[in-house]
Amino acid sequence: MSEISEYLRALKSSPLLGGQVVYHRLISEEKPVYGKLEKPWPPPLTQVISALGIQDLYSHQVHAIDLIRSNKSVVVATPTASGKTLIYTLPIIEKILENPKTKALYLFPLKALAQDQLRVFQEAVSYLEGLLPTATVYDGDTAGHRRKKIREHPPNIILTNPEMLHLSILPYHHLWSSFLSNLHMVVVDEVHTYRGVMGSHMAHVFRRLNRICAYYNTRPTYLFSSATISNPAGLSEQLTQIGVESITESGAGRGKRHLLFINPIEGPAQNAILLLKAAVSRGLRTIVYTQSRKLTELIALWATTKAGPLSHRISAYRSGFLPEERRDIEKRLSSGELLAVVTTSALELGIDIGDLDLCILVGYPGSVIATWQRGGRVGRSGQESALVLIAGEDALDQYFMRNPDDFINREPEAAVINPGNPMIVSKHLVCAAAELPLKEGEAYVSEKGVPAGLEKLEKNGELMRSEDGRIWYSKKKAPHREVDLRGTGDRYQIVSGDSKEMIGEIDGFRAFKETHPGAVYLHRGETYLVADLDIGTRKIRADKSKLDYYTRVRGSKSTEILEIEKRKSLWRTQLFFGRLKVTDQVVGYEKWRIHAGRLLGVIPLELPPLIFETEGIWFLIPPEIQNKTEANYLHFMGGIHAIEHACIGIFPLLVMTDRNDLGGISTPFHPQVNGPAVFIYDGIPGGAGLCRESFSKAEGLIEYTLKTILSCPCESGCPSCVHSPKCGSGNRPIDKAAAIYILNAIKSPDIASAGIISPVISKKTSPEPAPVVFGRGIHFGVLDLETQLSADDVGGWHRKDLMKISCAVLYDSGKDLFSEFLEDEIHLLLEQLKGFELVVGFNIKNFDYGVLAAYTDFDFKKLRTLDILEEIKNRLGYRLSLQHLAEVTLGKKKSADGLQALQWWKEGRIKEILEYCKMDVEITRDLFLYGIRSGYLLFRNKSGKTVRIPVDWRISPDPDRE
């Protein structure tokens, strides 16, 4: 058994985590498929290929190389580790050997990727004899004197990034004339990352590059490298306005890969820490991906405190770290000095960080593409590897926990850009005119959005028109530094109040929400409290502090419809797409206790509003639906607010994005439509093409939204369906039942037939068989135990095996008898447990079995178990206490609680503990029997009403028992 297989076996058999595994699939290995080139390599390249240990090329490599050699532009969209680097490296070397003046430009979205590719190229050419092809990295870390030398005597290959092309090459193209006049190929690595804001910017950068190349009488071939998106050719052509051949079938082989889904009882972070610690202790090289900078820092901090002597071999990694910090982490991970790294998407791309075994995703990354891209960082040498997805509460996470096969079978998403974004168009027109005056009749000038942009810029005085009106000149000589290719606003520097050193950066559009005064900011395991945000200097001062809370922003939003571009009827509503003006203002923030999850208070803030124009879709709610909703005593505003959240949460099923790229507003009355409406918009100024792409898929958006809300097992709404983690009003008001009613009314041909439809109560996908029918005479037991030590005493709830049992009580239905056990009698208890057809408990799987595991190597998953707490959480989406259920369902009160039992143990009062434990067993038994008889339990909801929780606890006798 391989180490990764043993790790997964231990995980699935773990009393603590095993029951939370909802899906495990082994993806079998694939044999490689090779091909043969149309014409053989010249002898020097044959020598290089042989020295590199390459015997044959994969079929997709051969296909691409044949096209490149015939001067055709190509996009290769194949999985990670499929040999895409060789596809452009070998033809470039061949071309340089034919003509030493040949030049190539390599573009990478990250500076670290350029350094990696330089090493690959230098290794390849080191096997040649004579005059070798040359290459160098040209980026922000290149010294000034070195840059001048590169410009004056350019190598065959320049490896750089989008910013350097935009800031240092295009504005000063006259200094690069010898390079540009011989430019044969442009390599664009990881092109799928050029989507949204950055992709929209890059579409204009490539148009500007093509203009400059035409000026120097060159027309380079493009080679695009991509993850397996659904529209690689479409994206590449939209970026560059040139025809591109697409290759998507990979001939590369692949080792066995495990795919494991975990739906945690608690939050995903705690599970990630336990999985990481177990992996590091086994020597498995591991990468953990999180969804936020904060979570990256928190998991790395918590993990290192629990990893003991291995703590120094775990590190955090994210954007915002200084370049030298990131390079050091990459080097230590690649060398094996670090065993594990906890990162955001910053390490999603192909930086060489060595050969890893295990990838842990803390939350669904938001797209199928990103999931497989991150999972592609492991098993690169063909060894057996694993990808573990720990679900969060987000709607998409829970959707795939309930529909895991849909994830496996789902086609990759399309990457969407919006080159027509008027803000982006204007910025790049000024840059283009500064590089070469824009002329009437050239292709760039006639593109969509450009004429309007030229007119506006001319009126503003940023462009000046020639006397004959056919040429536009830039007012500024070098406007390029005013354009941020990766964001929509200016960058803010975060400075430590203690050291006065810069500790990070943040986009101006996010600064108010993440680094407002009073915000908690995390950097490399250290907690900082933001003391000041200076808008004038764009500097943020943060003081290092020890805090036991985190912050969450509050805000208010409004929208104005500027232009309607498209409209259509959809069932009983009208759907629109167009331009919106959004006013988004941070009005305060919440302070939440980290461990207790308790709101400590709300602090008001006075910050200027963010006002921007963007693209969005919106649909109207007919007045008769509003009236009918309210007539049924449903909260109409809570309903449309829930619909807004659910639509945004499920949006990535249709378009490649995540909820952070989107915004939404629901209003019971919008003056421009004279009634209620739900708006969803691109969350960046000018729009990123997301809502534009979704307009044609709006029917699917409504249907997926309704399906997600209906299938969620909660009663009144939760983060898996209608709550949003970034809601500025704290998810108030929210009415899940109203949302279901409104959506059904929209889809119904007759509003009278819509009815009030309750959510379908469905359980989470589980590897264990669901309970069936409770027959007469079934032999069941009910268990509860108390411990000697608390969670704080042993270092956390995950160390239940150290808590030690003070006593246990077991009810036997066959004898109608309660039996008591002390710690030295636990072996007798274990034997009795094995004799029942069913064991019943309250939090028994997560707690009682975890404590008992210290006394035996028995696999408790072999026991047929009904955990009432687990059943309740699966139904409602949140927990209820045994005390609450006992009071409302049975009219009983518990005699004590766990803290009192721990105090009694310290005082030696074992008799009181036994009496308390016995009463908990009696209550648990009576709840079980009540559920069997009635088909439900009772609880008091958040509105103070006593309502039913449907349960299906009819258990049949075990057919395998004699």
Side-chain angles (χ1 to χ4, degrees):
M1 181 182 292
S2 68
E3 286 191 5
I4 201 73
S5 291
E6 191 279 327
Y7 173 82
L8 296 178
R9 182 202 62 77
L11 166 60
K12 291 174 68 178
S13 61
S14 162
L16 178 62
L17 297 177
Q20 301 173 44
V21 176
V22 300
Y23 184 75
H24 180 200
R25 177 167 176 169
L26 176 61
I27 302 172
S28 59
E29 62 180 326
E30 292 185 3
K31 300 296 183 183
V33 178
Y34 300 105
K36 186 175 182 181
L37 294 169
E38 290 180 359
K39 64 176 183 179
W41 295 114
L45 264 181
T46 303
Q47 177 182 338
V48 168
I49 293 170
S50 176
L52 290 172
I54 301 169
Q55 297 180 345
D56 296 290
L57 293 174
Y58 299 130
S59 56
H60 69 278
Q61 292 175 316
V62 168
H63 186 191
I65 289 170
D66 285 339
L67 289 170
I68 293 170
R69 289 167 111 186
S70 60
N71 296 320
K72 292 184 178 178
S73 293
V74 183
V75 57
V76 181
T78 54
T80 306
S82 58
K84 290 191 280 281
T85 299
L86 281 178
I87 291 173
Y88 52 82
T89 300
L90 296 177
I92 286 291
I93 294 175
E94 180 184 36
K95 196 69 178 178
I96 295 170
L97 293 177
E98 292 174 1
N99 178 8
K101 291 185 177 181
T102 297
K103 310 296 182 185
L105 178 69
Y106 288 11
L107 284 178
F108 303 93
L110 299 175
K111 287 190 288 187
L113 288 171
Q115 297 287 348
D116 275 354
Q117 292 303 308
L118 178 62
R119 287 192 290 270
V120 171
F121 179 82
Q122 289 175 336
E123 180 187 5
V125 300
S126 68
Y127 299 110
L128 293 170
E129 298 178 356
L131 188 64
L132 301 182
T134 55
T136 192
V137 170
Y138 185 87
D139 62 21
D141 297 334
T142 306
H145 70 278
R146 174 70 178 153
R147 293 189 191 187
K148 182 179 179 182
K149 184 177 180 181
I150 292 171
R151 288 194 299 268
E152 293 175 347
H153 304 285
N156 297 113
I157 299 174
I158 298 282
L159 301 97
T160 188
N161 54 63
E163 279 79 7
M164 294 304 289
L165 174 60
H166 165 67
L167 294 172
S168 298
I169 297 178
L170 295 181
Y172 307 102
H173 59 85
H174 57 284
L175 301 177
W176 293 88
S177 58
S178 63
F179 180 81
L180 293 167
S181 59
N182 291 287
L183 185 59
H184 174 74
M185 178 179 281
V186 177
V187 174
V188 184
D189 194 37
E190 310 284 5
V191 70
H192 62 280
T193 64
Y194 296 165
R195 63 180 180 90
V197 175
M198 185 179 181
S200 303
H201 276 292
M202 288 305 298
H204 291 275
V205 172
F206 286 124
R207 284 156 174 74
R208 289 163 43 206
L209 173 61
N210 289 339
R211 289 184 75 233
I212 298 297
C213 287
Y215 178 77
Y216 290 101
N217 297 313
T218 56
R219 189 177 180 182
T221 299
Y222 279 81
L223 187 283
F224 302 93
S225 167
S226 175
T228 51
I229 57 177
S230 69
N231 64 331
L235 174 64
S236 303
E237 291 175 353
Q238 201 176 4
L239 283 168
T240 58
Q241 293 291 81
I242 62 173
V244 178
E245 300 280 344
S246 176
I247 297 173
T248 57
E249 293 294 327
S250 174
R254 185 185 63 205
K256 293 180 181 178
R257 181 182 298 178
H258 297 265
L259 179 64
L260 205 77
F261 286 1
I262 294 178
N263 205 3
I265 295 173
E266 305 291 345
Q270 186 64 39
N271 281 32
I273 294 166
L274 296 176
L275 292 177
L276 176 57
K277 183 182 176 184
V280 170
S281 67
R282 287 171 167 80
L284 294 174
R285 302 191 62 193
T286 305
I287 186 166
V288 180
Y289 286 100
T290 73
Q291 299 297 87
S292 69
R293 295 180 176 195
K294 282 187 177 181
L295 196 55
T296 293
E297 294 284 4
L298 286 172
I299 290 178
L301 176 63
W302 291 334
T304 52
T305 60
K306 298 176 184 300
L310 295 173
S311 61
H312 68 287
R313 302 190 70 183
I314 303 171
S315 175
Y317 183 107
R318 62 168 175 80
S319 61
F321 279 16
L322 299 177
E324 55 270 25
E325 293 177 313
R326 295 198 300 269
R327 300 297 89 78
D328 177 63
I329 295 169
E330 292 159 10
K331 182 178 178 182
R332 292 168 61 207
L333 190 60
S334 182
S335 69
E337 180 184 344
L338 283 178
L339 264 180
V341 66
V342 186
T343 179
T344 59
S345 60
L347 273 179
E348 183 175 306
L349 304 182
I351 301 168
D352 183 8
I353 51 175
D355 198 13
L356 307 180
D357 305 300
L358 174 64
C359 176
I360 300 172
L361 306 180
V362 187
Y364 177 62
S367 71
V368 173
I369 296 167
T371 304
W372 291 121
Q373 181 80 0
R374 295 178 185 187
R377 302 313 304 267
V378 301
R380 294 170 73 98
S381 295
Q383 82 272 28
E384 192 172 351
S385 61
L387 170 61
V388 178
L389 170 60
I390 307 173
E393 294 182 315
D394 191 78
L396 280 177
D397 295 57
Q398 292 303 314
Y399 178 85
F400 285 121
M401 290 301 110
R402 293 192 285 267
N403 303 278
D405 288 327
D406 189 21
F407 173 83
I408 293 290
N409 300 323
R410 179 169 288 271
E411 292 294 322
E413 302 87 351
V416 177
I417 64 173
N418 179 24
N421 181 313
M423 294 184 64
I424 293 174
V425 169
S426 296
K427 290 176 182 290
H428 288 277
L429 285 177
V430 175
C431 294
E435 293 154 8
L436 289 173
L438 291 160
K439 296 181 179 180
E440 192 177 85
E442 67 171 286
Y444 190 23
V445 168
S446 61
E447 284 197 27
K448 179 182 177 182
V450 172
L454 289 171
E455 182 180 351
K456 183 177 179 181
L457 291 167
E458 186 181 350
K459 287 181 179 179
N460 293 343
E462 295 186 64
L463 289 182
M464 295 173 290
R465 210 164 184 177
S466 63
E467 183 179 0
D468 62 7
R470 301 182 62 184
I471 301 175
W472 289 268
Y473 300 92
S474 174
K475 174 185 175 181
K476 299 177 181 178
K477 185 177 180 180
H480 300 72
R481 293 204 172 272
E482 299 174 9
V483 182
D484 178 9
L485 297 184
R486 298 172 192 263
T488 54
D490 299 307
R491 305 290 291 180
Y492 279 64
Q493 292 184 348
I494 304 171
V495 179
S496 170
D498 303 313
S499 65
K500 310 303 180 186
E501 296 180 354
M502 189 177 78
I503 58 174
E505 290 182 305
I506 190 168
D507 183 272
F509 200 65
R510 292 179 16 238
F512 287 6
K513 295 189 176 183
E514 297 184 24
T515 52
H516 55 78
V520 175
Y521 178 77
L522 294 170
H523 177 73
R524 301 212 69 180
E526 298 287 346
T527 305
Y528 292 81
L529 184 65
V530 176
D532 182 59
L533 184 154
D534 191 320
I535 298 173
T537 62
R538 298 189 184 91
K539 285 191 176 181
I540 297 160
R541 181 169 64 83
D543 300 322
K544 191 179 293 186
S545 306
K546 289 187 177 181
L547 303 169
D548 61 352
Y549 66 89
Y550 64 93
T551 52
R552 181 186 295 168
V553 74
R554 278 194 171 189
S556 64
K557 293 181 289 186
S558 63
T559 184
E560 176 186 347
I561 300 169
L562 300 178
E563 180 186 3
I564 297 173
E565 291 189 27
K566 301 176 185 178
R567 69 176 72 200
K568 65 180 178 182
S569 296
L570 186 65
W571 297 301
R572 295 177 56 81
T573 186
Q574 292 289 313
L575 180 75
F576 300 86
F577 167 78
R579 290 194 308 116
L580 303 170
K581 182 165 78 171
V582 175
T583 301
D584 189 351
Q585 183 160 22
V586 172
V587 298
Y589 64 95
E590 301 170 346
K591 295 169 65 173
W592 287 82
R593 183 80 68 192
I594 291 176
H595 299 295
R598 182 165 57 88
L599 178 64
L600 299 176
V602 180
I603 295 87
L605 287 173
E606 292 186 8
L607 293 173
L610 292 168
I611 302 174
F612 61 98
E613 294 182 14
T614 186
E615 294 180 340
I617 59 173
W618 62 97
F619 58 91
L620 313 182
I621 312 297
E624 62 269 23
I625 293 181
Q626 179 178 7
N627 294 337
K628 190 74 172 177
T629 304
E630 293 170 345
N632 280 291
Y633 303 101
L634 297 170
H635 197 305
F636 178 75
M637 180 57 212
I640 60 175
H641 193 193
I643 291 171
E644 172 212 325
H645 285 179
C647 279
I648 292 174
I650 214 67
F651 205 95
L653 287 178
L654 304 176
V655 179
M656 186 178 174
T657 182
D658 63 56
R659 74 188 327 157
N660 293 316
D661 296 329
L662 299 161
I665 298 173
S666 45
T667 174
F669 182 83
H670 193 283
Q672 289 176 280
V673 302
N674 198 32
V678 174
F679 293 81
I680 299 171
Y681 56 84
D682 292 2
I684 60 105
L690 304 173
C691 289
R692 181 180 295 272
E693 176 77 10
S694 73
F695 182 79
S696 62
K697 305 173 181 178
E699 183 175 343
L701 178 61
I702 297 295
E703 290 185 330
Y704 271 121
T705 299
L706 179 57
K707 177 182 177 182
T708 300
I709 299 175
L710 278 169
S711 64
C712 185
C714 74
E715 183 216 9
S716 56
C718 71
S720 298
C721 57
V722 297
H723 286 189
S724 169
K726 60 173 192 165
C727 179
S729 62
N731 290 296
R732 293 183 294 270
I734 288 287
D735 191 326
K736 179 179 179 178
I740 294 171
Y741 178 79
I742 293 167
L743 290 173
N744 272 299
I746 287 173
K747 290 188 62 182
S748 299
D750 176 10
I751 188 171
S753 66
I756 300 177
I757 301 177
S758 299
V760 174
I761 305 297
S762 61
K763 298 181 182 180
K764 296 178 181 178
T765 305
S766 173
E768 298 183 30
V772 282
V773 183
F774 180 77
R776 292 185 179 180
I778 190 170
H779 190 197
F780 70 92
V782 183
L783 173 67
D784 186 44
L785 58 81
E786 298 302 323
T787 61
Q788 301 175 24
L789 301 172
S790 69
D792 289 340
D793 293 333
V794 298
W797 287 104
H798 65 288
R799 295 316 314 266
K800 291 181 278 290
D801 57 315
L802 301 180
M803 289 184 177
K804 303 178 71 176
I805 293 172
S806 61
C807 66
V809 174
L810 180 67
Y811 172 78
D812 186 330
S813 69
K815 302 176 181 176
D816 192 24
L817 179 68
F818 293 89
S819 299
E820 301 173 348
F821 303 88
L822 300 181
E823 185 180 21
D824 60 354
E825 300 170 313
I826 295 303
H827 63 286
L828 301 175
L829 168 66
L830 292 170
E831 289 304 312
Q832 287 198 36
L833 283 176
K834 296 174 187 177
F836 294 116
E837 293 178 81
L838 177 72
V839 180
V840 180
F842 194 87
N843 200 20
I844 185 173
K845 291 182 181 178
N846 188 44
F847 180 74
D848 300 68
Y849 287 168
V851 177
L852 283 169
Y855 296 86
T856 179
D857 58 2
F858 177 70
D859 182 2
F860 287 96
K861 290 176 67 176
K862 293 180 179 179
L863 295 178
R864 203 182 208 190
T865 303
L866 190 145
D867 189 329
I868 293 179
L869 179 62
E870 179 184 73
E871 295 284 312
I872 296 302
K873 186 174 184 295
N874 285 347
R875 295 289 187 184
L876 299 180
Y878 53 87
R879 294 178 163 205
L880 294 174
S881 68
L882 184 62
Q883 173 72 43
H884 181 101
L885 289 168
E887 284 185 6
V888 181
T889 305
L890 305 174
K892 294 183 177 181
K893 288 189 176 182
K894 292 178 51 166
S895 60
D897 58 29
L899 293 177
Q900 180 64 67
L902 288 168
Q903 183 61 36
W904 281 337
W905 172 260
K906 293 177 182 178
E907 297 169 0
R909 299 165 64 181
I910 191 66
K911 181 180 178 181
E912 285 90 339
I913 304 175
L914 283 167
E915 289 175 354
Y916 158 62
C917 189
K918 179 181 176 182
M919 185 171 185
D920 272 10
V921 170
E922 185 177 340
I923 288 173
T924 304
R925 177 200 63 185
D926 292 349
L927 284 172
F928 172 61
L929 294 175
Y930 186 100
I932 292 294
R933 291 191 303 268
S934 307
Y936 60 84
L937 298 182
L938 297 174
F939 82 108
R940 193 172 296 109
N941 67 14
K942 295 175 182 177
S943 301
K945 296 178 181 178
T946 300
V947 293
R948 297 179 179 185
I949 315 167
V951 296
D952 185 11
W953 293 343
R954 296 167 298 169
I955 312 294
S956 66
D958 190 341
D960 296 328
R961 292 175 63 90
E962 295 181 0

